[in-house]
Every structure is written in C-alpha cells, then in structure tokens.
Amino acid sequence: EMVMTQSPATLSVSPGDRATLSCRASQTVNSNLAWYQQIVGQTPRLLIYGASTRATGIPARFSGSGSGTEFTLTISSLQSEDFAVYYCQQYNQWPLAFGGGTQVEIK
Amino acid sequence: EVQLLESGGGLIQPGGSLRLSCAASGFTFSNYAMTWVRQAPGKGLDWVSSMSGSGGNIYYTDSVKGRFTTSRDNSKNTLFLQMTSLRAEDTAVYYCAKDRVAGSTSPDYFDLWGRGTMVTVSS
C-alpha cells in the first residue's frame, strides 16, 4: 500500500518569501500527483495535478515539480491568503492516498 | 452553480448506522466518478471510497470494507455513503468530491469538494 510522506510538518515563512514543500511516495506514482490547499475552516482546493499543471484559476506563484517518488510544491512569494495546510495526493493506483499535510504558518 | 452538498451527519453511538448523502448540481453527475474523503478533527485528509459514474466500479479503504457501502442514484444526482458498525475512529467530517476526469474508472484527483458533514461516534 502506498504511503505519502510530507515534510516538513510545519513551515514558518514570512510574507513575500518562498516556500518549498516536499512530498515523497513509498512507490513510484509516475506523475499522478495532486496538491491541495486547505485554509482553516474551509474545504480543500485543487492547486496542482499531473505533478506540475496548475488547476484553473490558480495563481502562477504556485508551481509543482517532480516525478516518480519525489515531488515539490513551491510558492514563490507568499501572500497572506496562502497561509494554510497543503496536502499531496497520489492517484496512480488504488487505494488513493493523501500525505499528512504541511502547515504553512506566518513567521 | 456547480456544487456538492452533503447531509446526514450527526451524533451516533458506537455500533450504530448512519447514511450520508451528497447532492450534486451544475454538472452531468453520471459522467463522473465520485469520492468520499474524511477528515478527523485536527487531522489530515483520508480517502474512504470512490465509485465510478455508472456505479459499476467501487473502491474502499481497508478500514471501512464490510462496514461502509457507497452507492449513487444518477436520476437524482446524489451520492450516498451507508455507514454501519460505526466506531469512535470513524468520527470525522465527511466530504464528497468530484473526480476531475469525465468517464474515467481510473484513480483520479478532485476538482470540486462539498463543505462536508460531521459524523461523531460517541456514547
């Protein structure tokens, strides 16, 4: 069974700085990797699919990279609305699996 | 408006049963696989079950197999989750989510989420 591991668990970043979040799969997922953002009290929002393709309406400051087992979500210049929890999800095989999340907090 | 609206959550005793519903609108429901994802209080997202658009393919996470049943009524644009033998560890917000790719029976990601319904299993 696939295990998705996200690091770090918490990332403290100043507004305007870059944030780099990692997601590791226990087996290859090829490029079948999505990223979601969940702001406190809100529903998850799709950010990235296919490891690197931004979903509709997602700002260009969000970018994804990687393939196989190692993936990265980069937020180039953090805005106030970006402080949230971010989850990766593999959809290469059943069962689907989410990572444990990375909380991006204000430094 | 494209949206999903869950209902049916509540407080239930261990061993009890509950049926969740997810009403879809704004898209051709039968064209899309649908998924249940849950989130325990203060925890991360946890995939529960997915069902293809036709209902012919259903998948469950191991911890709910034999206890939960996913179904759908495409004539009413509604997805269901019948939960039995509920345990304290099933306590969570249950979200329904729409798969991104139309007509697919493959594993997928989700481009539309409902607001969720809270299920609390406690005596």
Side-chain angles (χ1 to χ4, degrees):
Chain A
E1 184 171 306
M2 187 79 66
V3 176
M4 307 299 292
T5 303
Q6 290 187 241
S7 61
T10 304
L11 187 60
S12 298
V13 186
S14 300
D17 285 354
R18 173 187 296 257
T20 303
L21 290 66
S22 295
C23 174
R24 173 177 291 177
S26 60
Q27 310 166 34
T28 183
V29 300
N30 299 300
S31 293
N32 297 314
L33 192 286
W35 289 93
Y36 301 88
Q37 176 194 62
Q38 187 177 34
I39 295 170
V40 172
Q42 295 188 18
T43 197
R45 176 174 72 146
L46 176 67
L47 295 176
I48 301 284
Y49 61 92
S52 61
T53 302
R54 278 189 302 277
T56 303
I58 301 303
R61 65 181 180 272
F62 290 93
S63 63
S65 63
S67 66
T69 62
E70 300 283 344
F71 300 89
T72 300
L73 174 70
T74 301
I75 312 170
S76 60
S77 177
L78 269 152
Q79 306 299 302
S80 57
E81 62 267 30
D82 300 336
F83 292 95
V85 181
Y86 294 83
Y87 296 95
C88 61
Q89 179 231 328
Q90 71 83 16
Y91 55 98
N92 192 63
Q93 64 184 61
W94 302 106
L96 303 181
F98 290 91
T102 290
Q103 181 174 359
V104 177
E105 64 176 27
I106 300 174
K107 187 173 183 180
Chain B
E1 181 184 2
V2 180
Q3 67 176 1
L4 300 171
L5 185 62
E6 302 92 338
S7 61
L11 174 63
I12 188 76
Q13 291 189 337
S17 299
L18 211 55
R19 188 195 199 202
L20 306 184
S21 300
C22 170
S25 58
F27 63 97
T28 305
F29 182 70
S30 60
N31 283 357
Y32 292 89
M34 297 293 295
T35 292
W36 290 101
V37 175
R38 65 185 177 184
Q39 186 170 34
K43 302 297 184 182
L45 302 173
D46 183 27
W47 173 74
V48 175
S49 174
S50 295
M51 172 174 270
S52 61
S54 68
N57 299 85
I58 314 173
Y59 304 89
Y60 298 99
T61 191
D62 283 349
S63 64
V64 309
K65 283 180 183 174
R67 300 189 300 123
F68 290 11
T69 302
T70 297
S71 61
R72 62 192 295 161
D73 184 340
N74 286 343
S75 69
K76 296 182 178 179
N77 294 340
T78 304
L79 177 73
F80 302 100
L81 182 66
Q82 179 68 50
M83 305 186 293
T84 64
S85 301
L86 282 161
R87 307 166 180 167
E89 55 263 36
D90 296 318
T91 295
V93 174
Y94 284 73
Y95 296 101
C96 68
K98 169 186 162 291
D99 283 25
R100 172 69 169 81
V101 178
S104 175
T105 59
S106 298
D108 205 357
Y109 55 96
F110 318 116
D111 64 348
L112 178 67
W113 296 66
R115 298 191 67 82
T117 186
M118 181 71 203
V119 173
T120 303
V121 184
S122 175
S123 54

